[in-house]
Amino acid sequence: HYPYPADEAAMIALAPLFEGAHDFTAFAAADAERDKRPNSKVRRIFSSALWSEQDRLVYRVRGRGFLKHMVRNMVGTLLEAGKGNLDGDALRVLLTGNGKCGPTAPASGLFLVKVEYPVSYVPSTDTANADNTNCAGESAADPGHGDECRRP
């Protein structure tokens, strides 16, 4: 729930900018244990879309792994765009790993729709590389990417 006026058109226009492989360092929550590891914070987003549905905004994102609070920070950043505090150029800078994203959106109203794995997926006990070994999806907005991942 966001009780203030927002420029929905600006938010909708910026959502697809998350698509592709980007450095999401600016969107990752601090995680002392994981930050000790030399893992990259580059993630691939297959689809990112925001739209208005009845009296609410719906945001769906599908990607190959997510960082802690990454999607909540993406939503908070889109809200900053809706308030007029962020434009496409500023978002592109954030997606290079520089700067700090918008505020973390509350978890209420956000939920995981499904998780997909490659057809040949074999569960790994290597937790150091777990973020890069599966196709975790926050939601499935674009079923056209089914060639890369399948449901278990």
Side-chain angles (χ1 to χ4, degrees):
H1 176 72
Y2 187 73
Y4 307 104
D7 182 350
E8 292 180 17
M11 297 168 67
I12 291 167
L14 290 187
L17 294 182
F18 288 114
E19 294 174 0
H22 302 286
D23 182 341
F24 282 91
T25 298
F27 296 88
D31 187 336
E33 286 302 311
R34 285 194 170 203
D35 288 345
K36 292 178 186 175
R37 301 181 199 149
N39 295 343
S40 168
K41 292 188 176 156
V42 172
R43 296 293 184 270
R44 176 171 301 282
I45 299 299
F46 301 131
S47 61
S48 171
L50 181 86
W51 65 90
S52 181
E53 189 172 284
Q54 297 173 357
D55 64 342
R56 64 184 67 194
L57 289 173
V58 177
Y59 178 62
R60 288 199 178 176
V61 60
R62 185 170 179 267
R64 185 176 178 85
F66 297 89
L67 302 166
K68 183 177 180 178
H69 296 311
M70 180 175 142
V71 174
R72 290 174 59 189
N73 288 330
M74 291 164 68
V75 170
T77 300
L78 290 173
L79 286 170
E80 284 299 297
K83 293 193 296 188
N85 296 334
L86 185 109
D87 62 14
D89 290 336
L91 180 54
R92 286 181 191 91
V93 169
L94 292 173
L95 291 171
T96 65
N98 296 301
K100 178 67 180 114
C101 68
T104 303
S108 60
L110 301 176
F111 55 93
L112 177 70
V113 172
K114 70 178 175 179
V115 176
E116 300 172 336
Y117 295 96
V119 174
S120 61
Y121 176 74
V122 176
S124 171
T125 57
D126 179 8
T127 58
N129 292 313
D131 286 341
N132 294 319
T133 57
N134 65 44
C135 295
E138 285 293 318
S139 68
D142 184 1
H145 288 289
D147 295 338
E148 291 137 10
C149 302
R150 300 277 193 264
R151 288 194 291 188

